[in-house]
Amino acid sequence: MEIAGFALWQVGIALVATFASAYVRGLAGFGLAILLVPVLALALKPVEAVLIANVLGLTIGLTEIRHLIRTAEKSAFHIAGIVILTTAPGMAVLSITPAPVARFLIALVALSAFIAVLLPPRAPEMPGRVNTLLTGVASGLLTGFAGMPGPPVVPYYVGRAIPREVAKASMVLVFTAASSAGIASGVALGTMHWRLLLLALALFPVVLVGNALGRRALGKISDRAWRIFAAVVLGAASFAALLKLI
């Protein structure tokens, strides 16, 4: 039996991975793509995993867009614009990369995010223009290649001593823009198919539930516990993806 052209075991993996990653997103403000893509890429083609994560990232981001625009730091709008311009080249590279190589590189991207979260917090002042530009370019390329704008963006915000809500809103705003750019690039390159959209829409209620539960848990933990939780989950996901490939 199949659903939208996917085997039941593939759908089952997608459901579990989606709920877990959505819960982390609600709690940490990031993690949907970083957690979902490496696991989903073990059951689907890497480009399919990336595009499904993009659809889910866009849909959940749009449900929060008013809050994001009000709360996000000004730099998030700059980074989002750069991401939109640099996503297509990353996806073009993914479309011609052999699947085993792509899976390995995607797992390494997830591992880099785990390491970035462990770095000591920096001063709250907004980084300079060059830092912001490089963050946007790297995030855009990784959005296209791995569906993960997070590794450059997470340390840019989480690594600074700014209010947690500002950091979360800024990251999610960038991720929402990145998801829209990823979908547009997939359509332009001919890799976005209806069955991927159907599976993503079927998974969307799971994202809503997981994200809501994560947001509810956020108000009950300290900033330090928040950082530790994010690091543990990211580390577990990245190491699991790497071990699966060895």
Side-chain angles (χ1 to χ4, degrees), residues 42-229:
L42 298 176
L44 309 175
K45 295 178 180 178
V47 69
E48 293 178 334
V50 167
L51 288 169
I52 288 173
N54 281 333
V55 174
L56 294 176
L58 176 61
T59 50
I60 190 62
L62 290 177
T63 66
E64 307 168 343
I65 195 64
R66 291 184 179 179
H67 168 71
L68 301 179
I69 292 175
R70 288 196 310 265
T71 312
E73 187 179 74
K74 184 179 179 180
S75 62
F77 296 90
H78 299 155
I79 293 175
I82 298 169
V83 166
I84 290 173
L85 296 175
T86 54
T87 294
M91 186 162 288
V93 173
L94 174 62
S95 66
I96 61 174
T97 302
V101 176
R103 291 189 178 100
F104 180 73
L105 293 176
I106 288 172
L108 287 181
V109 170
L111 180 61
S112 72
F114 164 63
I115 295 172
V117 170
L118 297 179
L119 297 176
R122 303 187 308 278
E125 288 75 23
M126 193 169 70
R129 292 181 179 179
V130 174
N131 193 330
T132 300
L133 174 63
L134 292 177
T135 298
V137 171
S139 182
L141 292 175
L142 285 174
T143 295
F145 185 81
M148 298 180 190
V153 175
V154 170
Y156 186 95
Y157 292 108
V158 177
R160 291 157 50 209
I162 60 177
R164 183 168 57 183
E165 277 303 313
V166 174
K168 281 191 60 180
S170 299
M171 291 188 295
V172 174
L173 182 64
V174 173
F175 299 158
T176 302
S179 295
S180 65
I183 294 170
S185 298
V187 172
L189 294 170
T191 55
M192 185 69 199
H193 303 296
W194 281 108
R195 71 190 196 113
L196 301 180
L197 181 60
L198 290 175
L199 179 57
L201 293 178
L203 293 172
F204 182 59
V206 179
V207 174
L208 286 176
V209 173
N211 186 70
L213 292 175
R215 287 183 63 86
R216 182 177 299 180
L218 175 63
K220 302 177 182 178
I221 64 173
S222 66
D223 282 354
R224 184 173 184 274
W226 172 61
R227 287 177 59 86
I228 292 174
F229 173 82

Side-chain angles (χ1 to χ4, degrees), residues 2-18 35-50 52 99-100 102-104 106 195-196 199 203 240-241 244-245:
E2 295 184 345
I3 298 176
F6 295 99
L8 285 180
W9 70 270
Q10 292 176 308
V11 176
I13 290 176
L15 285 170
V16 175
T18 298
L35 291 174
L36 181 59
V37 172
V39 178
L40 208 54
L42 298 176
L44 309 175
K45 295 178 180 178
V47 69
E48 293 178 334
V50 167
I52 288 173
R103 291 189 178 100
F104 180 73
I106 288 172
R195 71 190 196 113
L196 301 180
L199 179 57
L203 293 172
K244 184 70 175 181
L245 294 173

